């Protein structure tokens, strides 16, 4: 494990910080907010021309979004969904990464404050994300989607909906530490799931129980994208996994499903990294490089869609 993550785990243990599965959703949200508030703001974030909070109308009412416009030219639009097991997280928890993606990929990033489980279980969070994807397609630029963990699950499902419903044309998807299945018996779950390294099997069972409690419903590919029988026609993908993440194998499994269905796929595996490691970009050069590589890939996808070769 990278020493930075060991430091975090040791600090949590010294403070006797409970695990997510040991508390209520409300307490878990407070824990997340406290961690974000206590963390120093990175000094290397790209400068934004503007950052504005707005609302988009969806099937469940108004959806809060945050729009990041970087300085310089705008090549495309990226709809982003934050991490948090569908239960925790908000616009603040994804703020740093949205700024990095906007500046490095030269895109307007639209972060979605989707409704959270258990108050709003499946399909409400997905409906919110998909509604913003539909709205963002009206901005008239090449459209990409990005997400982390449960957010990656939601944008992957939104891409499936867009394909099946003949919805917006999404040209690329960035899936970082994606939740793609409800199988807790993969090799990465067996070897890492009980170590409580920021995310555990017990945590994921808790998250799944809030988002989609019925086991039969979890087989729906919009809930578990790895259960998709045919992935052909989906957007090209960058899948980012962490070596020491219980979700590693289902992320790699989804990359392989896409690949065998004829979808172009690139994979980044963060060596010695824990789940959803992009948050450490301001502290670990290797993480900053992974974020930069992901943003460069997104930028190249957009340029290629416009007939420009940036290799």
């Amino acid at each position: 494990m990278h020493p930075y993550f060991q430091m975090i785990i040791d600090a949590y243990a010294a403070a006797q910080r409970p695990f997510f599965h040991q508390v209520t959703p409300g307490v878990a949200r407070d824990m997340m907010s406290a961690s974000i508030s206590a963390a120093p703001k990175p000094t290397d974030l790209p400068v934004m021309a503007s950052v504005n909070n707005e609302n988009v109308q969806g099937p469940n009412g108004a959806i809060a979004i945050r729009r990041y416009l970087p300085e310089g030219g705008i090549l495309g639009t990226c709809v982003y969904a934050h991490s948090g097991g569908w239960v925790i997280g908000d616009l603040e928890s994804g703020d740093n990464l949205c700024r990095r993606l906007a500046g490095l990929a030269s895109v307007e990033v639209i972060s979605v404050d989707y409704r959270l489980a258990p108050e709003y279980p499946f399909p409400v969070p997905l409906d919110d994300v998909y509604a913003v994807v539909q709205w963002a397609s009206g901005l008239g630029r090449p459209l990409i989607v990005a997400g982390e963990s449960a957010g990656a699950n939601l944008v992957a499902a939104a891409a499936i909906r867009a394909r099946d419903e003949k919805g917006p044309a999404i040209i690329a998807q960035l899936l970082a530490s994606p939740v793609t299945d409800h199988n807790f018996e993969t090799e990465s779950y067996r070897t890492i799931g009980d170590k409580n390294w920021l995310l555990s099997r017990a945590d994921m069972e808790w998250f799944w129980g809030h988002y989609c409690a019925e086991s039969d419903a979890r087989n729906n590919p919009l809930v578990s994208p790895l259960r998709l029988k045919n992935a052909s026609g989906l957007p090209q993908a960058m899948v980012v996994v962490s070596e020491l993440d219980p979700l590693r194998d289902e992320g790699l499994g989804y990359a392989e499903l896409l690949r065998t269905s004829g979808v172009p796929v690139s994979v980044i595996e963060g060596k010695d990294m824990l789940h959803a490691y992009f948050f450490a970009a301001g502290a670990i050069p290797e993480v900053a490089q992974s974020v930069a590589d992901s943003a460069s890939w997104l930028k190249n996808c957009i340029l290629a869609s416009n007939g420009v070769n940036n290799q």
Side-chain angles (χ1 to χ4, degrees), residues 160 163-164 180 219-222 224-232 234 254 257-258 261:
I160 295 170
R163 181 197 67 172
D164 294 348
T180 68
N219 292 324
N220 184 338
L222 296 180
S224 297
L226 192 53
R227 303 288 169 131
L228 191 65
K229 288 183 169 46
N230 179 12
S232 62
L234 289 176
Y254 194 59
L257 172 64
L258 293 170
S261 298

